[in-house]
């Protein structure tokens, strides 16, 4: 099994995207992150610097952010989040709610295989529409 992240330099890391990752999806995510980085939301933004494809594997080379992934240290079958994890997600969603919708939503890939959010839709409204469409 491939590692989830690999540090490639003090400021960069690489991430393999097995299965659901395609170069097109990552390029769209890269555009979203680039647009988000210029918005006023008070969050550190992930940045994809390169998308590499080799032997049917897609890998992103990204700026290394402080902290840890939410699932760090969890078994693949474990689905329990700690209170600090829930607070982190809430903080990110609150930051995204402060972003002008036209800045970022046209390229936002929320779920693999789903279309981008509608252009001009407020993030919270578009996210609720996706949730409703999934029957949640």
């Amino acid at each position: 099994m491939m590692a989830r992240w690999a540090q490639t330099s003090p400021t960069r890391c690489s991430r393999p995207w097995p299965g659901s990752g395609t170069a097109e999806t990552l390029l769209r995510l890269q555009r979203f992150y680039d647009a988000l980085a210029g918005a006023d939301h008070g969050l550190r933004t992930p940045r994809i610097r390169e998308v590499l494809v080799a032997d049917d594997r897609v890998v992103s080379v990204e700026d290394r952010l402080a902290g840890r992934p939410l699932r760090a240290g969890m078994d693949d079958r474990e689905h329990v989040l700690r209170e600090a994890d829930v607070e982190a997600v809430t903080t990110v969603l609150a930051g995204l709610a402060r972003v002008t919708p036209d800045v970022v939503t046209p390229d936002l890939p929320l779920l693999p295989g789903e279309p981008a959010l509608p252009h001009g839709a407020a993030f919270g409204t578009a996210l609720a529409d996706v949730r409703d469409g999934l029957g949640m």
Side-chain angles (χ1 to χ4, degrees):
M1 182 165 144
M2 230 172 168
R4 290 190 180 164
W5 291 94
Q7 185 171 334
T8 57
S9 79
T11 60
R12 297 276 165 91
C13 60
S14 63
R15 176 181 181 186
W17 295 79
S20 65
T22 67
E24 179 183 321
T25 299
L26 288 183
L27 291 170
R28 190 168 62 171
L29 185 60
Q30 180 182 36
R31 289 190 305 271
F32 168 69
Y33 285 159
D34 289 348
L36 188 60
D40 182 24
H41 49 67
L43 304 170
R44 290 214 45 222
T45 304
R47 300 298 296 270
I48 296 174
R49 299 304 179 173
E50 289 183 80
V51 174
L52 308 171
V53 181
D55 299 326
D56 295 328
R57 291 189 177 162
V58 181
V59 176
S60 60
V61 177
E62 305 179 20
D63 288 351
R64 190 166 176 261
L65 296 176
R68 63 170 180 75
L70 287 178
R71 292 186 53 88
M74 286 185 179
D75 181 281
D76 284 340
R77 295 167 303 217
E78 187 176 358
H79 299 288
V80 177
L81 295 176
R82 294 166 282 218
E83 186 174 331
D85 298 333
V86 174
E87 288 176 16
V89 170
T90 302
T91 299
V92 169
L93 291 175
L96 287 171
R98 292 190 295 271
V99 175
T100 304
D102 288 343
V103 171
V104 295
T105 56
D107 279 327
L108 178 59
L110 275 179
L111 299 170
E114 292 292 321
L117 295 178
H119 186 67
F123 180 80
T125 301
L127 186 61
D129 289 345
V130 169
R131 181 203 64 209
D132 291 345
L134 295 172
M136 300 174 110

